[in-house]
Structure formats: C-alpha cells, structure tokens
Amino acid sequence: MLSVVSKASLAAAIAVTVAWSPVPNAVRADAQPADYFQFPLPSWEPHCLGFGSEWRYCNGTVLRRCSGSGAIWLHTGVDIKTGIQPVMAAANGVIIGYIVDPTFRGGVLIRHQTPDGVVITQYWHVWPRAGYSVGTVVTRGEVFADIADMGSRTHFHFAVFIGEYDSHTWNGALPPARCDGFPAFPYKFVDPTAFIQAHVEPAPPKIVHHGGHGLQEVGT
Ligand SMILES: [Zn+2]
C-alpha cells in the first residue's frame, strides 16, 4: 500500500515540476559562480541507501520497480543520517525548483554555474526557510532549509546532477535499464559524496615559521 501511495505522489510531483522550470536567465545572472562545493550538513554519515543502491526503505521494502521487467529502481543520490537541523547550500547558485511530495516532504533543486558547466544539486526531505523559494540566490554554506521530520524515517537525501534541468532532475531513483519512459541509471547523476570531495575549496597554504627565528624572538 505504501509503495502505491508513493508512486502516485511521485507521479504527481513530476507533473507539478514541469511548471516550475526553467528559471528566467535574468534571475540566474545574479548567482555567483560556483568554484567550490561543500557538504550540506556538518556531518556526513551514510544512512541505508548509497549512490546506486536498490531503491528500498531501510526495512527492505522496494519503493519502485519497472512495470514490465520488475527490475528494482536504483537510488540516484546518497542518504545521510541526521536529526532535525539546518541544511546548507552546497555551492553558490540559485534555487530553481521546490516541490512537496506527501511521502517524501519537500524537495529543492539548486543550479550552480561552475567552471566545468552547469551542475544541479538535489535536496530531499527538507523544508525551505522563510524567504527561500524558486529564484532565490544562495551562497555556499548558506542555510536555506531544515531537515523535515519523518519520524523514524527521518534522513537527508542529496544528489548531484550534471547539466541543465530536465524532467528527470527531480528523480530520487531511476531504473537499471530504460523503462516506463525513464532513462537508465545513472543518467546524468554522479556519486554525490565523491563529487563534493573532488570540489572542496583547497585549504590555505600553511605559514611556516623558521625555528631559529622563533627561538630568538622568545628572548626579546
Ligand atoms: Zn534517498
């Protein structure tokens, strides 16, 4: 029963998103370039599903299968253990989508203009804070949302999509082989944890004091 509800609500969510995008270029122009990324939460401990895991609840219940083959869909993001806490933008960008799904709560997309092209970060199970909606410009590390309370299922879902928005940018999972009008995993999604780790701001160079100099200064 649960899976039927989530399928129907997901379909409704997908239908809604068509009306949300794209955001006009005038709004996008305000966003600063995204040279570096960071994790949206202060800690990054894996929950039940990783990138490419079969799309199941933690108890093993399958969330979605291909109607013909029965193949289980694969998770396009990474799930992270968390309590109710602030969620930060992974990089400079602009919010280009916000939808509410009865099962999965709020979903947010942020578009980033990077030196290597457009990247979109996907945040699920969050509630945007007051003043944050489609068109809002954000900077890296800026708190724009809070984790949504889903009781014992409370967690954070984060995905990284390479390229401009299309109808699949919202997907939390995709089939292992093309089915039911959806492209095969991973489509334009990449491992989010590996992507962030590869795009963090380099630590500033350490200032090295010469030992002899320091010793002399002690005596003055
Ligand atoms: Zn997830």
Side-chain angles (χ1 to χ4, degrees):
M1 198 63 195
L2 259 177
S3 66
V4 173
V5 170
S6 60
K7 270 186 210 171
S9 56
L10 196 67
I14 289 165
V16 168
T17 62
V18 176
W20 280 100
S21 294
V23 169
N25 285 325
V27 175
R28 290 178 180 174
D30 294 337
Q32 294 298 306
D35 294 328
Y36 302 111
F37 285 71
Q38 68 164 64
F39 289 119
L41 296 179
S43 62
W44 205 249
E45 191 182 346
H47 190 58
C48 302
L49 302 186
F51 179 67
S53 297
E54 290 185 341
W55 202 26
R56 300 169 179 268
Y57 285 121
C58 294
N59 68 8
T61 302
V62 173
L63 273 148
R64 186 162 182 172
R65 298 175 183 269
C66 292
S67 58
S69 67
I72 299 171
W73 284 33
L74 305 177
H75 195 232
T76 55
V78 63
D79 287 349
I80 300 298
K81 286 182 183 172
T82 182
I84 310 302
Q85 65 172 330
V87 180
M88 298 173 279
N92 299 338
V94 58
I95 296 174
I96 61 162
Y98 170 49
I99 58 175
V100 176
D101 178 278
T103 303
F104 301 114
R105 308 300 194 272
V108 174
L109 298 177
I110 301 181
R111 181 187 186 275
H112 313 280
Q113 187 70 55
T114 83
D116 302 320
V118 172
V119 171
I120 297 172
T121 48
Q122 178 202 71
Y123 313 71
W124 270 110
H125 325 310
V126 302
W127 295 126
R129 290 197 166 184
Y132 291 88
S133 58
V134 172
T136 305
V137 171
V138 293
T139 57
R140 176 165 54 97
E142 182 174 346
V143 172
F144 70 95
D146 292 285
I147 298 293
D149 188 351
M150 297 198 298
S152 62
R153 287 199 177 121
T154 299
H155 70 276
F156 174 57
H157 169 106
F158 179 68
V160 174
F161 182 92
I162 308 296
E164 289 285 7
Y165 174 89
D166 68 34
S167 62
H168 302 297
T169 312
W170 282 111
N171 281 113
L174 286 169
R178 185 172 183 81
C179 79
D180 301 334
F182 289 88
F185 176 90
Y187 189 50
K188 297 179 183 176
F189 291 94
V190 297
D191 183 325
T193 298
F195 179 89
I196 298 292
Q197 286 172 339
H199 292 84
V200 292
E201 185 171 13
K206 285 177 182 169
I207 298 163
V208 179
H209 293 283
H210 295 284
H213 221 94
L215 283 172
Q216 283 179 352
E217 282 171 0
V218 169
T220 59

